[in-house]
Amino acid sequence: MEKHKWRMVRRLLSWRRDEDALRECLHKVKALEERARSCYSEAIDMGSNEFVEMMVLDGCFIIGLLLLPWSEDAWVVWEGQKDEEELHNSSYTSVLVGHDLLKVENQMPFFVVEALFDLLVLQSDNGPSDSIYDLALTLLDRWNPSNDFNYVKKTPKVHHHLLHIFHDLLAQNENSTVQCNLIIDGFLKIKNKIEDLLLQVHNALPSFLRRSKASEGRKKKWTLGWIKCATELQESGVKFVEKRSCSFLNVTFEDGVLEFPVLCIFDETVIHFRNLIAFEQLYPNAGNHITFYAVLMDFLIDTRRDVNVLHREGVLQIGLSSEKDVAQFFNSLCKEVIYDSSQNKLFIDLNRYCNSKWHRWRTVLARDYFGSPWAAISVLAAFVLLLLTLLQTVYTMYSYYHS
């Protein structure tokens, strides 16, 4: 792997056609050394020259990977020359390296990569006209689990690393929903304060004026921070519907219909989800978009039967070996994850809907008595027979009283 990194450095330096290009890179990163070291949670036991060399080497390697979709020349560098030792199946290996770059523990400060990109690519005659931010989006969009997604170019903001950019790529079309949820959360907090005040007034009332414990229990049942699995929700009358959306995070519930954008689950999806959740847990300002989605799926999926329900309704596209693997993935995804779902509007609305007896009775009626044409005909025949019997009784009574 080190040979590939140095090969990429030499190719990028050749674009500059300047003998001092490498020296400029080392000086530039040297000036950023203190800032770069402060980005790591633990002290790095390396000398100054060794650390700067590592930053230049890894930074150039990342730039090379970002150029892969744009430059055939970069692919030549990656594939290597015939007289040099090559990695087995290097195209496949490049994909694995790309996934490896999105691991939390492998992130490097993105401002270092930007500085090297400015020196080696923007100041060269062979470089692309796109910014490093757009090149990163183009590469990372390949691993987006949404099958109906086109990223929108926005003014780039400050990002810590590639994983941060990938996170924003997935969450960028969730902004309206996020803002709505923030407003809802604000109302819920106000509502909770009012309820606490009313509770204090309630406790001060005489016992015969207080509300029964049964009604309090029903209300509490609606606001619990958990929901039923997909199979039980379906039995309670909830319908799962595929939804066209720019983001798989845009899940909505209204009038008994839980709408999901399609999620494509492959081996890399498993890796990326774990690292994105870890990023949100480490950086609270990043939001909790991925964490909420993972918690929701953890509740919805208990067994392979739940996966089958979502797959049958078109919500999940499965690229893993079995439905059981998907269930195990989501069940293990949120272990030791901190997320308070008790005040989430989606969870509250789902619980309120499922706790309605009318919705359960309607579902049982439709499933047991109108689930097939023969069952519907039997119910209709029984109804007609009952109606005829009633009419005969009425006619007999009418004849009796008028005879």
Side-chain angles (χ1 to χ4, degrees):
M1 188 57 67
E2 291 298 314
K3 290 184 178 181
H4 277 280
K5 291 183 179 181
W6 279 113
R7 190 181 298 133
M8 192 67 74
V9 171
R10 288 194 294 270
R11 176 62 64 177
L12 290 175
L13 291 175
S14 70
W15 284 8
R16 275 284 303 272
R17 298 175 183 175
D18 184 353
E19 296 180 355
D20 294 329
L22 178 59
R23 186 179 295 106
E24 288 182 24
C25 291
L26 293 172
H27 282 308
K28 184 67 175 179
V29 176
K30 179 70 175 178
L32 299 172
E33 179 184 1
E34 184 177 352
R35 182 183 171 192
R37 284 181 180 269
S38 66
C39 294
Y40 294 91
S41 58
E42 298 179 357
I44 299 177
D45 188 18
M46 283 185 180
S48 178
N49 292 337
E50 186 181 3
F51 178 80
V52 170
E53 181 181 313
M54 180 190 71
M55 288 284 106
V56 171
L57 192 62
D58 291 345
C60 289
F61 187 64
I62 291 175
I63 293 172
L65 287 175
L66 297 181
L67 292 173
L68 288 182
W70 174 82
S71 171
E72 293 183 1
D73 191 35
W75 272 109
V76 172
V77 176
W78 177 263
E79 296 293 342
Q81 306 301 326
K82 292 183 179 180
D83 58 345
E84 296 186 38
E85 181 183 357
E86 297 185 15
L87 290 175
H88 175 66
N89 195 1
S90 56
S91 297
Y92 175 68
T93 305
S94 68
V95 175
L96 293 181
V97 171
H99 296 329
D100 200 53
L101 283 178
L102 292 177
K103 291 183 178 180
V104 174
E105 61 270 21
N106 292 338
Q107 300 307 303
M108 71 171 291
F110 197 67
F111 60 82
V112 175
V113 183
E114 288 180 293
L116 293 172
F117 183 84
D118 292 342
L119 284 174
L120 298 175
V121 179
L122 293 185
Q123 296 183 20
S124 69
D125 299 329
N126 301 327
S129 57
D130 293 337
S131 68
I132 188 172
Y133 178 74
D134 290 333
L135 290 174
L137 289 178
T138 302
L139 178 67
L140 296 172
D141 189 42
R142 294 181 171 189
W143 301 312
N144 194 310
S146 297
N147 67 348
D148 185 24
F149 181 88
N150 291 309
Y151 70 84
V152 180
K153 286 189 177 182
K154 296 183 178 181
T155 303
K157 65 177 185 180
V158 176
H159 289 93
H160 301 302
H161 38 63
L162 279 176
L163 182 60
H164 191 183
I165 298 177
F166 187 47
H167 177 272
D168 280 7
L169 170 68
L170 300 182
Q172 67 168 327
N173 289 295
E174 183 67 4
N175 287 338
S176 59
T177 305
V178 171
Q179 293 298 329
C180 180
N181 286 335
L182 289 175
I183 295 172
I184 290 169
D185 288 343
F187 280 118
L188 286 173
K189 289 179 180 179
I190 296 173
K191 170 178 165 288
N192 290 337
K193 290 182 178 180
I194 294 175
E195 286 180 349
D196 291 340
L197 180 61
L198 291 176
L199 181 61
Q200 294 176 10
V201 175
H202 169 266
N203 292 334
L205 292 174
S207 59
F208 66 89
L209 292 178
R210 294 182 185 177
R211 193 172 45 182
S212 66
K213 291 185 178 180
S215 61
E216 291 180 3
R218 286 194 296 271
K219 183 176 180 181
K220 185 177 180 181
K221 200 174 181 181
W222 286 353
T223 57
L224 288 174
W226 56 269
I227 57 175
K228 297 178 179 179
C229 65
T231 305
E232 293 178 348
L233 286 177
Q234 200 171 54
E235 292 174 353
S236 298
V238 176
K239 296 180 181 179
F240 297 92
V241 177
E242 178 186 344
K243 176 182 182 181
R244 292 188 63 84
S245 176
C246 293
S247 173
F248 70 94
L249 301 171
N250 189 16
V251 182
T252 57
F253 177 74
E254 187 175 359
D255 296 331
V257 178
L258 189 58
E259 291 187 313
F260 268 91
V262 178
L263 176 70
C264 305
I265 304 178
F266 300 97
D267 290 330
E268 62 266 21
T269 312
V270 176
I271 300 172
H272 296 159
F273 258 88
R274 296 187 190 281
N275 287 281
L276 287 166
I277 291 174
F279 170 68
E280 289 186 347
Q281 296 287 294
L282 293 171
Y283 296 93
N285 292 335
N288 54 17
H289 318 285
I290 309 297
T291 304
F292 163 70
Y293 187 88
V295 170
L296 174 64
M297 296 301 288
D298 186 24
F299 280 123
L300 291 178
I301 296 176
D302 283 342
T303 64
R304 60 189 304 173
R305 290 179 56 201
D306 302 310
V307 177
N308 182 262
V309 169
L310 298 178
H311 179 59
R312 189 172 62 246
E313 300 298 336
V315 172
L316 290 181
Q317 291 185 5
I318 302 173
L320 301 182
S321 58
S322 67
E323 293 175 346
K324 183 179 179 181
D325 290 339
V326 178
Q328 290 177 344
F329 159 58
F330 280 111
N331 292 157
S332 63
L333 190 60
C334 295
K335 289 183 178 179
E336 300 181 3
V337 169
I338 300 173
Y339 181 79
D340 181 15
S341 58
S342 61
Q343 299 300 326
N344 187 279
K345 185 178 184 298
L346 180 68
F347 282 42
I348 294 174
D349 290 345
L350 271 172
N351 281 322
R352 183 179 289 114
Y353 185 89
C354 293
N355 286 330
S356 171
K357 292 182 179 180
W358 161 244
H359 295 139
R360 292 200 299 270
W361 291 343
R362 186 179 60 182
T363 302
V364 170
L365 180 65
R367 183 185 67 238
D368 296 345
Y369 298 101
F370 295 95
S372 66
W374 297 112
I377 292 173
S378 299
V379 172
L380 183 61
F383 177 76
V384 171
L385 182 61
L386 178 63
L387 182 61
L388 292 174
T389 303
L390 181 62
L391 289 175
Q392 183 182 12
T393 303
V394 172
Y395 180 75
T396 302
M397 294 177 64
Y398 180 81
S399 301
Y400 174 77
Y401 282 109
H402 287 78
S403 62

